[in-house]
Amino acid sequence: MGARLRAEASGPAVTTTAAPGPLASFARFVLCGGGVGLLSSGAVALLAATMPWALANALITVASTILCTELHARFTFGAGGRAGWRQHWQAAGSATAAYGVTCVAMVSLHLLQPSPGMLTEQIVYLSASGLAGMGRFLVLRLFVFAVGRNKPVQRDIRRAPALKGIGFPTARTRLAVSAVSAVS
């Protein structure tokens, strides 16, 4: 990793690391967001059997946005910990736009084909979600979780027990890396 270490004798040292590159972030975004999106798609279909589709989509969108924002903060964009209120509200804005895209796609489908099958609905919904997801990726990467040259990720480095007997006779300590934020 491209980490720089600032030595501190009396306590934990802090290192700064660069955020994942665009391709790594996109792969993580697809893994996290896409996985939650696929689960959400099934949940929307199940809930839509008991309530209007738009309400089911809204409920699932809220729940999945909260989950995805935390996943993206911790894993996708390497923001250094949990998402704050600002990131949640900004992510909610991009999710609202994505919700609009999926609703327009589904309303259009039902206007063109009054009684589509579940498979057709899923294809349209997932296609619209994928398109909206690409837009969300750009918004989240460039604005919500932007970590650039002027805003590095900080990680906490703590001293761990000595590495005796494993081929490092002069090593007195080794460093363990953990995120700065509290883990719940």
Side-chain angles (χ1 to χ4, degrees), residues 113-132:
Q113 189 177 7
S115 297
M118 186 182 279
L119 180 61
T120 303
E121 285 183 334
Q122 287 296 298
I123 290 169
V124 169
Y125 178 78
L126 291 174
S127 298
S129 293
L131 179 64

Side-chain angles (χ1 to χ4, degrees), residues 12-46:
V14 175
T15 183
T16 57
T17 59
L23 293 177
S25 290
F26 187 72
R28 293 174 182 185
F29 180 82
V30 170
L31 180 68
C32 293
V36 171
L38 286 174
L39 293 174
S40 296
S41 173
V44 167
L46 291 174

